[in-house]
Structures are given as structure tokens and as C-alpha cells.
mmCIF file of all heavy atoms in Angstrom:
data_model
loop_
_atom_site.group_PDB
_atom_site.id
_atom_site.type_symbol
_atom_site.label_atom_id
_atom_site.label_comp_id
_atom_site.label_asym_id
_atom_site.label_seq_id
_atom_site.Cartn_x
_atom_site.Cartn_y
_atom_site.Cartn_z
ATOM 1 N N LEU A 168 -31.185 -63.407 29.656
ATOM 2 C CA LEU A 168 -30.552 -62.488 30.611
ATOM 3 C C LEU A 168 -29.197 -61.980 30.122
ATOM 4 O O LEU A 168 -28.618 -61.082 30.723
ATOM 5 C CB LEU A 168 -30.381 -63.182 31.968
ATOM 6 C CG LEU A 168 -31.676 -63.690 32.615
ATOM 7 C CD1 LEU A 168 -31.361 -64.428 33.906
ATOM 8 C CD2 LEU A 168 -32.653 -62.560 32.855
ATOM 9 N N ARG A 169 -28.718 -62.553 29.051
ATOM 10 C CA ARG A 169 -27.428 -62.118 28.515
ATOM 11 C C ARG A 169 -27.508 -60.678 28.048
ATOM 12 O O ARG A 169 -28.504 -60.226 27.522
ATOM 13 C CB ARG A 169 -27.010 -63.013 27.356
ATOM 14 C CG ARG A 169 -26.619 -64.380 27.842
ATOM 15 C CD ARG A 169 -25.884 -65.143 26.788
ATOM 16 N NE ARG A 169 -25.517 -66.438 27.369
ATOM 17 C CZ ARG A 169 -25.401 -67.533 26.685
ATOM 18 N NH1 ARG A 169 -25.577 -67.527 25.385
ATOM 19 N NH2 ARG A 169 -25.076 -68.647 27.279
ATOM 20 N N GLY A 170 -26.437 -59.980 28.247
ATOM 21 C CA GLY A 170 -26.375 -58.587 27.821
ATOM 22 C C GLY A 170 -26.809 -57.613 28.903
ATOM 23 O O GLY A 170 -26.704 -56.410 28.729
ATOM 24 N N LYS A 171 -27.319 -58.116 30.014
ATOM 25 C CA LYS A 171 -27.724 -57.240 31.114
ATOM 26 C C LYS A 171 -26.566 -57.106 32.085
ATOM 27 O O LYS A 171 -25.784 -58.028 32.283
ATOM 28 C CB LYS A 171 -28.939 -57.796 31.836
ATOM 29 C CG LYS A 171 -30.192 -57.799 30.977
ATOM 30 C CD LYS A 171 -31.393 -58.211 31.785
ATOM 31 C CE LYS A 171 -32.635 -58.136 30.895
ATOM 32 N NZ LYS A 171 -33.846 -58.360 31.645
ATOM 33 N N SER A 172 -26.488 -55.946 32.681
ATOM 34 C CA SER A 172 -25.425 -55.709 33.659
ATOM 35 C C SER A 172 -25.820 -56.322 35.003
ATOM 36 O O SER A 172 -26.985 -56.656 35.245
ATOM 37 C CB SER A 172 -25.196 -54.205 33.830
ATOM 38 O OG SER A 172 -26.289 -53.617 34.520
ATOM 39 N N VAL A 173 -24.840 -56.446 35.868
ATOM 40 C CA VAL A 173 -25.083 -56.961 37.220
ATOM 41 C C VAL A 173 -26.073 -56.055 37.942
ATOM 42 O O VAL A 173 -26.993 -56.535 38.618
ATOM 43 C CB VAL A 173 -23.753 -57.087 38.003
ATOM 44 C CG1 VAL A 173 -24.010 -57.394 39.473
ATOM 45 C CG2 VAL A 173 -22.859 -58.139 37.380
ATOM 46 N N ASP A 174 -25.919 -54.754 37.793
ATOM 47 C CA ASP A 174 -26.831 -53.818 38.465
ATOM 48 C C ASP A 174 -28.261 -53.970 37.948
ATOM 49 O O ASP A 174 -29.219 -53.891 38.723
ATOM 50 C CB ASP A 174 -26.353 -52.377 38.288
ATOM 51 C CG ASP A 174 -25.100 -52.071 39.108
ATOM 52 O OD1 ASP A 174 -24.875 -52.781 40.121
ATOM 53 O OD2 ASP A 174 -24.366 -51.139 38.751
ATOM 54 N N GLU A 175 -28.428 -54.197 36.657
ATOM 55 C CA GLU A 175 -29.762 -54.403 36.095
ATOM 56 C C GLU A 175 -30.387 -55.683 36.652
ATOM 57 O O GLU A 175 -31.570 -55.703 37.004
ATOM 58 C CB GLU A 175 -29.697 -54.490 34.560
ATOM 59 C CG GLU A 175 -29.422 -53.168 33.866
ATOM 60 C CD GLU A 175 -29.223 -53.335 32.367
ATOM 61 O OE1 GLU A 175 -28.550 -54.303 31.956
ATOM 62 O OE2 GLU A 175 -29.751 -52.492 31.624
ATOM 63 N N LEU A 176 -29.589 -56.725 36.718
ATOM 64 C CA LEU A 176 -30.087 -57.993 37.249
ATOM 65 C C LEU A 176 -30.463 -57.862 38.731
ATOM 66 O O LEU A 176 -31.487 -58.388 39.171
ATOM 67 C CB LEU A 176 -29.061 -59.101 37.052
ATOM 68 C CG LEU A 176 -28.817 -59.524 35.594
ATOM 69 C CD1 LEU A 176 -27.628 -60.461 35.505
ATOM 70 C CD2 LEU A 176 -30.063 -60.162 35.014
ATOM 71 N N LYS A 177 -29.637 -57.156 39.502
ATOM 72 C CA LYS A 177 -29.942 -56.937 40.918
ATOM 73 C C LYS A 177 -31.232 -56.143 41.078
ATOM 74 O O LYS A 177 -32.050 -56.437 41.957
ATOM 75 C CB LYS A 177 -28.787 -56.214 41.616
ATOM 76 C CG LYS A 177 -27.590 -57.099 41.883
ATOM 77 C CD LYS A 177 -26.503 -56.327 42.606
ATOM 78 C CE LYS A 177 -25.298 -57.196 42.905
ATOM 79 N NZ LYS A 177 -24.247 -56.430 43.609
ATOM 80 N N ALA A 178 -31.427 -55.139 40.220
ATOM 81 C CA ALA A 178 -32.655 -54.333 40.276
ATOM 82 C C ALA A 178 -33.871 -55.201 39.949
ATOM 83 O O ALA A 178 -34.925 -55.083 40.587
ATOM 84 C CB ALA A 178 -32.557 -53.155 39.321
ATOM 85 N N GLU A 179 -33.732 -56.080 38.966
ATOM 86 C CA GLU A 179 -34.833 -56.977 38.605
ATOM 87 C C GLU A 179 -35.145 -57.948 39.753
ATOM 88 O O GLU A 179 -36.304 -58.229 40.027
ATOM 89 C CB GLU A 179 -34.505 -57.754 37.332
ATOM 90 C CG GLU A 179 -34.591 -56.911 36.083
ATOM 91 C CD GLU A 179 -34.269 -57.698 34.820
ATOM 92 O OE1 GLU A 179 -34.118 -58.947 34.888
ATOM 93 O OE2 GLU A 179 -34.171 -57.058 33.762
ATOM 94 N N ILE A 180 -34.107 -58.432 40.414
ATOM 95 C CA ILE A 180 -34.295 -59.329 41.554
ATOM 96 C C ILE A 180 -35.071 -58.614 42.651
ATOM 97 O O ILE A 180 -36.017 -59.170 43.226
ATOM 98 C CB ILE A 180 -32.946 -59.870 42.074
ATOM 99 C CG1 ILE A 180 -32.360 -60.864 41.070
ATOM 100 C CG2 ILE A 180 -33.108 -60.506 43.458
ATOM 101 C CD1 ILE A 180 -30.935 -61.276 41.371
ATOM 102 N N LYS A 181 -34.687 -57.372 42.953
ATOM 103 C CA LYS A 181 -35.386 -56.613 43.994
ATOM 104 C C LYS A 181 -36.857 -56.421 43.634
ATOM 105 O O LYS A 181 -37.736 -56.542 44.485
ATOM 106 C CB LYS A 181 -34.711 -55.266 44.234
ATOM 107 C CG LYS A 181 -33.460 -55.368 45.055
ATOM 108 C CD LYS A 181 -32.945 -54.007 45.440
ATOM 109 C CE LYS A 181 -31.720 -54.189 46.311
ATOM 110 N NZ LYS A 181 -31.270 -52.965 46.915
ATOM 111 N N GLU A 182 -37.131 -56.129 42.372
ATOM 112 C CA GLU A 182 -38.505 -55.934 41.920
ATOM 113 C C GLU A 182 -39.303 -57.242 42.030
ATOM 114 O O GLU A 182 -40.453 -57.254 42.471
ATOM 115 C CB GLU A 182 -38.525 -55.414 40.487
ATOM 116 C CG GLU A 182 -39.890 -54.997 40.003
ATOM 117 C CD GLU A 182 -40.512 -53.854 40.791
ATOM 118 O OE1 GLU A 182 -39.769 -52.956 41.240
ATOM 119 O OE2 GLU A 182 -41.735 -53.877 40.968
ATOM 120 N N LEU A 183 -38.672 -58.346 41.640
ATOM 121 C CA LEU A 183 -39.334 -59.644 41.757
ATOM 122 C C LEU A 183 -39.600 -60.005 43.219
ATOM 123 O O LEU A 183 -40.672 -60.528 43.555
ATOM 124 C CB LEU A 183 -38.499 -60.733 41.080
ATOM 125 C CG LEU A 183 -38.443 -60.682 39.552
ATOM 126 C CD1 LEU A 183 -37.384 -61.642 39.029
ATOM 127 C CD2 LEU A 183 -39.803 -60.991 38.966
ATOM 128 N N GLU A 184 -38.642 -59.740 44.096
ATOM 129 C CA GLU A 184 -38.824 -60.013 45.523
ATOM 130 C C GLU A 184 -39.975 -59.186 46.090
ATOM 131 O O GLU A 184 -40.759 -59.678 46.902
ATOM 132 C CB GLU A 184 -37.535 -59.739 46.286
ATOM 133 C CG GLU A 184 -36.464 -60.796 46.051
ATOM 134 C CD GLU A 184 -35.118 -60.447 46.665
ATOM 135 O OE1 GLU A 184 -34.878 -59.258 46.990
ATOM 136 O OE2 GLU A 184 -34.298 -61.367 46.813
ATOM 137 N N LYS A 185 -40.083 -57.941 45.644
ATOM 138 C CA LYS A 185 -41.179 -57.079 46.091
ATOM 139 C C LYS A 185 -42.517 -57.659 45.626
ATOM 140 O O LYS A 185 -43.485 -57.709 46.384
ATOM 141 C CB LYS A 185 -40.994 -55.667 45.538
ATOM 142 C CG LYS A 185 -42.078 -54.703 45.934
ATOM 143 C CD LYS A 185 -41.859 -53.335 45.313
ATOM 144 C CE LYS A 185 -43.050 -52.435 45.591
ATOM 145 N NZ LYS A 185 -43.033 -51.236 44.786
ATOM 146 N N SER A 186 -42.577 -58.124 44.389
ATOM 147 C CA SER A 186 -43.808 -58.719 43.857
ATOM 148 C C SER A 186 -44.189 -59.978 44.632
ATOM 149 O O SER A 186 -45.365 -60.194 44.948
ATOM 150 C CB SER A 186 -43.643 -59.055 42.378
ATOM 151 O OG SER A 186 -43.469 -57.894 41.624
ATOM 152 N N VAL A 187 -43.202 -60.810 44.935
ATOM 153 C CA VAL A 187 -43.464 -62.031 45.699
ATOM 154 C C VAL A 187 -43.996 -61.684 47.082
ATOM 155 O O VAL A 187 -44.959 -62.299 47.571
ATOM 156 C CB VAL A 187 -42.193 -62.907 45.787
ATOM 157 C CG1 VAL A 187 -42.347 -64.023 46.803
ATOM 158 C CG2 VAL A 187 -41.841 -63.465 44.425
ATOM 159 N N LYS A 188 -43.410 -60.694 47.729
ATOM 160 C CA LYS A 188 -43.855 -60.275 49.056
ATOM 161 C C LYS A 188 -45.309 -59.789 49.005
ATOM 162 O O LYS A 188 -46.128 -60.138 49.866
ATOM 163 C CB LYS A 188 -42.943 -59.172 49.587
ATOM 164 C CG LYS A 188 -43.250 -58.740 50.992
ATOM 165 C CD LYS A 188 -42.269 -57.690 51.475
ATOM 166 C CE LYS A 188 -42.616 -57.239 52.872
ATOM 167 N NZ LYS A 188 -41.720 -56.201 53.364
ATOM 168 N N GLU A 189 -45.643 -58.998 47.983
ATOM 169 C CA GLU A 189 -47.013 -58.505 47.839
ATOM 170 C C GLU A 189 -47.993 -59.648 47.575
ATOM 171 O O GLU A 189 -49.095 -59.674 48.126
ATOM 172 C CB GLU A 189 -47.088 -57.470 46.710
ATOM 173 C CG GLU A 189 -46.403 -56.165 47.058
ATOM 174 C CD GLU A 189 -46.256 -55.222 45.870
ATOM 175 O OE1 GLU A 189 -46.600 -55.613 44.725
ATOM 176 O OE2 GLU A 189 -45.787 -54.091 46.087
ATOM 177 N N LEU A 190 -47.588 -60.619 46.757
ATOM 178 C CA LEU A 190 -48.444 -61.768 46.480
ATOM 179 C C LEU A 190 -48.647 -62.614 47.732
ATOM 180 O O LEU A 190 -49.764 -63.079 48.004
ATOM 181 C CB LEU A 190 -47.853 -62.619 45.358
ATOM 182 C CG LEU A 190 -47.985 -62.043 43.950
ATOM 183 C CD1 LEU A 190 -47.168 -62.865 42.960
ATOM 184 C CD2 LEU A 190 -49.437 -61.977 43.527
ATOM 185 N N ASN A 191 -47.587 -62.818 48.502
ATOM 186 C CA ASN A 191 -47.701 -63.583 49.753
ATOM 187 C C ASN A 191 -48.657 -62.899 50.727
ATOM 188 O O ASN A 191 -49.457 -63.559 51.395
ATOM 189 C CB ASN A 191 -46.335 -63.798 50.392
ATOM 190 C CG ASN A 191 -45.535 -64.879 49.707
ATOM 191 O OD1 ASN A 191 -46.098 -65.777 49.091
ATOM 192 N ND2 ASN A 191 -44.226 -64.797 49.801
ATOM 193 N N GLN A 192 -48.607 -61.571 50.798
ATOM 194 C CA GLN A 192 -49.516 -60.827 51.674
ATOM 195 C C GLN A 192 -50.953 -60.959 51.179
ATOM 196 O O GLN A 192 -51.882 -61.133 51.963
ATOM 197 C CB GLN A 192 -49.114 -59.355 51.767
ATOM 198 C CG GLN A 192 -49.971 -58.558 52.728
ATOM 199 C CD GLN A 192 -49.911 -59.092 54.147
ATOM 200 O OE1 GLN A 192 -48.839 -59.326 54.688
ATOM 201 N NE2 GLN A 192 -51.071 -59.297 54.762
ATOM 202 N N SER A 193 -51.116 -60.913 49.877
ATOM 203 C CA SER A 193 -52.445 -61.068 49.287
ATOM 204 C C SER A 193 -53.026 -62.453 49.590
ATOM 205 O O SER A 193 -54.208 -62.598 49.918
ATOM 206 C CB SER A 193 -52.360 -60.843 47.775
ATOM 207 O OG SER A 193 -53.621 -60.930 47.190
ATOM 208 N N ILE A 194 -52.192 -63.482 49.517
ATOM 209 C CA ILE A 194 -52.627 -64.844 49.860
ATOM 210 C C ILE A 194 -53.019 -64.915 51.330
ATOM 211 O O ILE A 194 -54.068 -65.464 51.686
ATOM 212 C CB ILE A 194 -51.518 -65.863 49.534
ATOM 213 C CG1 ILE A 194 -51.366 -66.003 48.022
ATOM 214 C CG2 ILE A 194 -51.807 -67.212 50.186
ATOM 215 C CD1 ILE A 194 -50.131 -66.762 47.585
ATOM 216 N N LYS A 195 -52.197 -64.334 52.209
ATOM 217 C CA LYS A 195 -52.490 -64.353 53.652
ATOM 218 C C LYS A 195 -53.800 -63.627 53.943
ATOM 219 O O LYS A 195 -54.605 -64.094 54.745
ATOM 220 C CB LYS A 195 -51.349 -63.728 54.438
ATOM 221 C CG LYS A 195 -51.575 -63.814 55.941
ATOM 222 C CD LYS A 195 -50.451 -63.218 56.724
ATOM 223 C CE LYS A 195 -50.667 -63.276 58.204
ATOM 224 N NZ LYS A 195 -52.002 -63.244 58.721
ATOM 225 N N ASP A 196 -54.034 -62.497 53.277
ATOM 226 C CA ASP A 196 -55.281 -61.755 53.476
ATOM 227 C C ASP A 196 -56.491 -62.613 53.113
ATOM 228 O O ASP A 196 -57.506 -62.617 53.809
ATOM 229 C CB ASP A 196 -55.291 -60.476 52.636
ATOM 230 C CG ASP A 196 -54.284 -59.444 53.119
ATOM 231 O OD1 ASP A 196 -53.772 -59.570 54.252
ATOM 232 O OD2 ASP A 196 -53.999 -58.511 52.341
ATOM 233 N N ARG A 197 -56.384 -63.353 52.033
ATOM 234 C CA ARG A 197 -57.486 -64.212 51.609
ATOM 235 C C ARG A 197 -57.682 -65.407 52.550
ATOM 236 O O ARG A 197 -58.808 -65.796 52.846
ATOM 237 C CB ARG A 197 -57.276 -64.674 50.170
ATOM 238 C CG ARG A 197 -57.656 -63.569 49.190
ATOM 239 C CD ARG A 197 -56.936 -63.645 47.868
ATOM 240 N NE ARG A 197 -57.340 -62.570 46.990
ATOM 241 C CZ ARG A 197 -56.916 -61.312 47.067
ATOM 242 N NH1 ARG A 197 -56.073 -60.958 48.032
ATOM 243 N NH2 ARG A 197 -57.336 -60.393 46.228
ATOM 244 N N GLU A 198 -56.588 -65.964 53.041
ATOM 245 C CA GLU A 198 -56.687 -67.045 54.028
ATOM 246 C C GLU A 198 -57.361 -66.537 55.303
ATOM 247 O O GLU A 198 -58.219 -67.218 55.873
ATOM 248 C CB GLU A 198 -55.311 -67.615 54.341
ATOM 249 C CG GLU A 198 -54.722 -68.431 53.221
ATOM 250 C CD GLU A 198 -53.297 -68.879 53.479
ATOM 251 O OE1 GLU A 198 -52.646 -68.392 54.429
ATOM 252 O OE2 GLU A 198 -52.830 -69.735 52.712
ATOM 253 N N ASP A 199 -56.984 -65.330 55.736
ATOM 254 C CA ASP A 199 -57.603 -64.737 56.922
ATOM 255 C C ASP A 199 -59.097 -64.508 56.706
ATOM 256 O O ASP A 199 -59.901 -64.707 57.616
ATOM 257 C CB ASP A 199 -56.916 -63.420 57.290
ATOM 258 C CG ASP A 199 -55.499 -63.619 57.808
ATOM 259 O OD1 ASP A 199 -55.118 -64.758 58.136
ATOM 260 O OD2 ASP A 199 -54.758 -62.609 57.875
ATOM 261 N N ALA A 200 -59.476 -64.095 55.492
ATOM 262 C CA ALA A 200 -60.887 -63.883 55.187
ATOM 263 C C ALA A 200 -61.655 -65.200 55.246
ATOM 264 O O ALA A 200 -62.792 -65.246 55.741
ATOM 265 C CB ALA A 200 -61.036 -63.241 53.809
ATOM 266 N N ILE A 201 -61.043 -66.273 54.768
ATOM 267 C CA ILE A 201 -61.677 -67.589 54.846
ATOM 268 C C ILE A 201 -61.885 -67.981 56.302
ATOM 269 O O ILE A 201 -62.960 -68.470 56.681
ATOM 270 C CB ILE A 201 -60.841 -68.652 54.100
ATOM 271 C CG1 ILE A 201 -60.933 -68.424 52.592
ATOM 272 C CG2 ILE A 201 -61.288 -70.071 54.464
ATOM 273 C CD1 ILE A 201 -59.976 -69.270 51.765
ATOM 274 N N VAL A 202 -60.888 -67.746 57.145
ATOM 275 C CA VAL A 202 -61.001 -68.071 58.572
ATOM 276 C C VAL A 202 -62.174 -67.313 59.188
ATOM 277 O O VAL A 202 -62.976 -67.884 59.929
ATOM 278 C CB VAL A 202 -59.683 -67.755 59.315
ATOM 279 C CG1 VAL A 202 -59.882 -67.799 60.824
ATOM 280 C CG2 VAL A 202 -58.596 -68.726 58.897
ATOM 281 N N VAL A 203 -62.290 -66.038 58.874
ATOM 282 C CA VAL A 203 -63.385 -65.229 59.429
ATOM 283 C C VAL A 203 -64.735 -65.807 59.002
ATOM 284 O O VAL A 203 -65.680 -65.866 59.797
ATOM 285 C CB VAL A 203 -63.246 -63.758 58.987
ATOM 286 C CG1 VAL A 203 -64.501 -62.964 59.288
ATOM 287 C CG2 VAL A 203 -62.041 -63.113 59.661
#
């Protein structure tokens, strides 16, 4: 991570958070399908 600016790191964090949110939704969708 050295050599990256604070803004670059913040942008990467936002992108990672978005990916985690999408993965969590995908997991929930599959759990709901199992329940059905």
C-alpha cells in the first residue's frame, strides 16, 4: 500500500465495502432460496 495517496486508499476502501455488501446480499439470496 506504500506510495498510494490517502484519496486512493479511501477509494479502494469504498470499492471493497461495495464488494462486501454485494457478496453479503448474494449469500442472503442463497440462504433464502434454501429456506424456500
Side-chain angles (χ1 to χ4, degrees):
L168 301 177
R169 289 195 178 150
K171 293 186 177 187
S172 71
V173 170
D174 288 336
E175 288 174 319
L176 292 171
K177 285 181 179 180
E179 286 180 8
I180 289 170
K181 282 189 178 189
E182 188 62 35
L183 289 169
E184 287 173 342
K185 180 182 173 193
S186 295
V187 168
K188 184 177 178 182
E189 290 170 355
L190 285 171
N191 283 334
Q192 184 60 49
S193 182
I194 290 168
K195 184 179 179 330
D196 291 345
R197 281 153 180 78
E198 288 174 348
D199 291 346
I201 289 171
V202 168
V203 168

